[in-house]
Amino acid sequence: MKNSEHKSLEDVFGPVVASYSRAQAIEDGVLIDVTAMAREAGFKWPVALTHTAWCDCVDWTERDNRFQVQQDESGRLWDVLFMAFYAIRTATAPGDRLPFSLYRVPKDGRSTEAEEVSLKLMVGPGDAGEPVVTIMLPNED
């Protein structure tokens, strides 16, 4: 194939209509950057949770402590990251998506017992093409 036959993606698909970067998603709160604690849990790449996964598995307030059970966001986040890293370490098949689960007390104003929740870890390219990890609910992309 000659160099003149190489076409750019823009030549093939046309100009980019819109783009939304990971940095913008973090700035907007669509993703919550948890890289600092993720590094403590063993991750080498940047890690973020979707807002939905954060609200379901991490978010916890003093009101929740009064009406449910004493917990904190730091401990709940550690549980998510520990189980995600454990899932990576014990995975038997390659791929960019990995389902995992953990037990967490649902934030519903009344529960005091942990229930199992399913999550999904996805590895993809960051804004500069570097590998990044996103943790989300199974129905999210």
Coordinates of all heavy atoms in Angstrom, one line a residue, residues 47-50 53 57 80 84 87 96-102 117-123 133-141:
V47 N -8.0 5.3 38.2 CA -9.2 4.6 38.4 C -10.3 5.6 38.7 O -10.1 6.6 39.5 CB -9.2 3.6 39.6 CG1 -10.5 2.9 39.8 CG2 -8.1 2.5 39.3
A48 N -11.5 5.4 38.2 CA -12.6 6.3 38.4 C -13.9 5.4 38.6 O -13.9 4.3 38.0 CB -12.8 7.3 37.3
L49 N -14.8 5.9 39.4 CA -16.1 5.2 39.5 C -17.1 6.1 38.8 O -17.0 7.4 38.8 CB -16.6 5.1 40.9 CG -16.2 3.8 41.7 CD1 -14.7 3.8 42.0 CD2 -17.0 3.7 43.0
T50 N -18.1 5.5 38.1 CA -19.2 6.3 37.6 C -20.0 6.9 38.8 O -20.0 6.4 39.9 CB -20.2 5.5 36.8 OG1 -20.8 4.5 37.6 CG2 -19.5 4.9 35.5
A53 N -22.3 4.3 40.3 CA -21.7 3.3 41.1 C -21.3 3.9 42.5 O -21.4 3.3 43.5 CB -20.5 2.7 40.4
C57 N -22.6 2.4 46.0 CA -21.7 1.6 46.7 C -20.8 2.4 47.7 O -20.2 1.8 48.6 CB -20.8 0.8 45.8 SG -21.7 -0.4 44.8
V80 N -14.9 -1.5 47.6 CA -15.0 -1.5 46.2 C -13.7 -1.8 45.5 O -13.6 -2.7 44.6 CB -15.7 -0.2 45.6 CG1 -15.7 -0.2 44.1 CG2 -17.1 -0.1 46.1
A84 N -12.4 -5.1 43.5 CA -12.1 -4.9 42.1 C -10.7 -5.4 41.8 O -10.4 -6.2 40.8 CB -12.2 -3.4 41.6
A87 N -10.6 -9.2 41.9 CA -11.2 -9.7 40.7 C -10.1 -9.7 39.6 O -10.0 -10.7 38.8 CB -12.4 -8.9 40.3
D96 N -11.2 -6.7 28.4 CA -11.2 -5.3 28.9 C -12.3 -5.0 29.8 O -12.5 -4.0 30.4 CB -11.2 -4.3 27.7 CG -12.5 -4.4 26.9 OD1 -13.3 -5.4 27.0 OD2 -12.7 -3.5 26.1
R97 N -13.2 -6.0 30.1 CA -14.3 -5.9 31.0 C -14.3 -7.1 32.0 O -14.1 -8.2 31.6 CB -15.6 -5.9 30.3 CG -15.8 -4.7 29.4 CD -16.9 -4.9 28.3 NE -16.7 -4.0 27.3 CZ -17.5 -3.0 27.0 NH1 -18.6 -2.8 27.8 NH2 -17.2 -2.1 26.1
L98 N -14.6 -6.8 33.2 CA -14.5 -7.8 34.2 C -15.6 -7.6 35.3 O -15.6 -6.6 36.0 CB -13.1 -7.8 34.9 CG -12.9 -8.8 36.0 CD1 -12.9 -10.2 35.5 CD2 -11.6 -8.5 36.7
P99 N -16.6 -8.5 35.3 CA -17.6 -8.4 36.4 C -17.1 -8.8 37.7 O -16.2 -9.7 37.8 CB -18.7 -9.3 35.9 CG -18.0 -10.3 35.0 CD -16.8 -9.6 34.4
F100 N -17.5 -8.2 38.8 CA -17.2 -8.6 40.1 C -18.3 -8.2 41.0 O -19.2 -7.4 40.6 CB -15.8 -8.0 40.6 CG -15.8 -6.5 40.8 CD1 -15.9 -6.0 42.1 CD2 -15.7 -5.6 39.7 CE1 -15.9 -4.6 42.3 CE2 -15.6 -4.3 39.9 CZ -15.7 -3.7 41.2
S101 N -18.3 -8.6 42.2 CA -19.4 -8.3 43.2 C -18.8 -8.0 44.6 O -17.6 -8.4 44.8 CB -20.4 -9.4 43.3 OG -19.8 -10.6 43.7
L102 N -19.5 -7.4 45.4 CA -19.2 -7.2 46.8 C -20.4 -7.0 47.6 O -21.5 -6.9 47.1 CB -18.3 -5.9 46.9 CG -19.0 -4.6 46.7 CD1 -18.6 -3.6 47.8 CD2 -18.6 -4.0 45.4
V117 N -23.9 -6.8 45.6 CA -24.2 -5.9 44.4 C -23.1 -6.3 43.4 O -22.0 -6.6 43.7 CB -24.1 -4.4 44.8 CG1 -22.7 -4.0 45.3 CG2 -24.5 -3.5 43.6
S118 N -23.6 -6.3 42.1 CA -22.7 -6.6 41.0 C -22.2 -5.3 40.4 O -22.9 -4.3 40.3 CB -23.4 -7.3 39.9 OG -23.8 -8.6 40.4
L119 N -20.9 -5.3 40.1 CA -20.3 -4.1 39.4 C -19.5 -4.7 38.2 O -19.3 -5.9 38.0 CB -19.3 -3.4 40.4 CG -20.0 -2.7 41.6 CD1 -18.9 -2.3 42.6 CD2 -20.8 -1.6 41.1
K120 N -19.0 -3.7 37.4 CA -18.2 -4.1 36.3 C -17.0 -3.1 36.2 O -17.1 -1.9 36.4 CB -19.0 -3.9 35.0 CG -18.3 -4.1 33.7 CD -19.3 -4.1 32.5 CE -20.0 -2.8 32.3 NZ -20.8 -2.7 31.1
L121 N -15.8 -3.7 36.0 CA -14.6 -3.0 35.8 C -14.3 -3.0 34.3 O -14.3 -4.0 33.7 CB -13.5 -3.7 36.6 CG -12.1 -3.1 36.6 CD1 -11.5 -3.4 37.9 CD2 -11.3 -3.7 35.5
M122 N -14.0 -1.8 33.8 CA -13.6 -1.7 32.4 C -12.3 -1.0 32.2 O -12.1 0.0 32.8 CB -14.7 -1.0 31.6 CG -14.6 -1.1 30.1 SD -16.2 -0.7 29.3 CE -16.0 1.1 29.3
V123 N -11.4 -1.6 31.4 CA -10.1 -0.9 31.1 C -10.3 -0.3 29.6 O -10.7 -1.0 28.7 CB -9.0 -1.9 31.1 CG1 -7.7 -1.2 30.7 CG2 -8.9 -2.5 32.5
V133 N -8.9 2.7 34.2 CA -9.9 1.8 34.7 C -11.1 2.6 35.1 O -11.0 3.6 35.8 CB -9.4 1.0 36.0 CG1 -10.4 0.1 36.6 CG2 -8.1 0.2 35.6
T134 N -12.3 2.1 34.8 CA -13.6 2.7 35.2 C -14.4 1.6 35.8 O -14.6 0.5 35.3 CB -14.3 3.3 34.0 OG1 -13.5 4.2 33.3 CG2 -15.6 4.0 34.5
I135 N -14.9 1.8 37.0 CA -15.8 0.9 37.7 C -17.2 1.4 37.6 O -17.5 2.6 37.9 CB -15.4 0.7 39.2 CG1 -13.9 0.1 39.2 CG2 -16.3 -0.1 40.0 CD1 -13.3 0.1 40.6
M136 N -18.2 0.5 37.3 CA -19.5 1.0 37.0 C -20.5 -0.1 37.3 O -20.1 -1.3 37.6 CB -19.7 1.4 35.5 CG -19.4 0.2 34.6 SD -19.2 0.7 32.8 CE -17.6 1.4 32.9
L137 N -21.8 0.2 37.3 CA -22.8 -0.8 37.4 C -22.9 -1.6 36.1 O -22.5 -1.1 35.1 CB -24.2 -0.1 37.7 CG -24.2 0.7 39.0 CD1 -25.6 1.3 39.2 CD2 -23.9 -0.2 40.2
P138 N -23.4 -2.8 36.2 CA -23.4 -3.7 35.0 C -24.1 -3.1 33.8 O -23.7 -3.4 32.7 CB -24.1 -5.0 35.5 CG -23.9 -5.0 37.0 CD -23.9 -3.5 37.4
N139 N -25.1 -2.3 34.0 CA -25.9 -1.8 32.9 C -25.3 -0.5 32.3 O -25.9 0.1 31.4 CB -27.4 -1.6 33.3 CG -27.5 -0.5 34.4 OD1 -26.5 -0.2 35.1 ND2 -28.7 0.0 34.6
E140 N -24.2 0.0 32.8 CA -23.6 1.2 32.3 C -22.5 0.8 31.3 O -21.9 -0.3 31.3 CB -22.9 2.0 33.4 CG -23.9 2.5 34.4 CD -23.2 3.3 35.5 OE1 -22.5 2.7 36.4 OE2 -23.4 4.6 35.5
D141 N -22.2 1.8 30.4 CA -21.2 1.6 29.4 C -20.1 2.6 29.5 O -20.3 3.7 29.8 CB -21.7 1.6 28.0 CG -22.5 0.3 27.6 OD1 -22.1 -0.7 28.1 OD2 -23.5 0.4 26.9

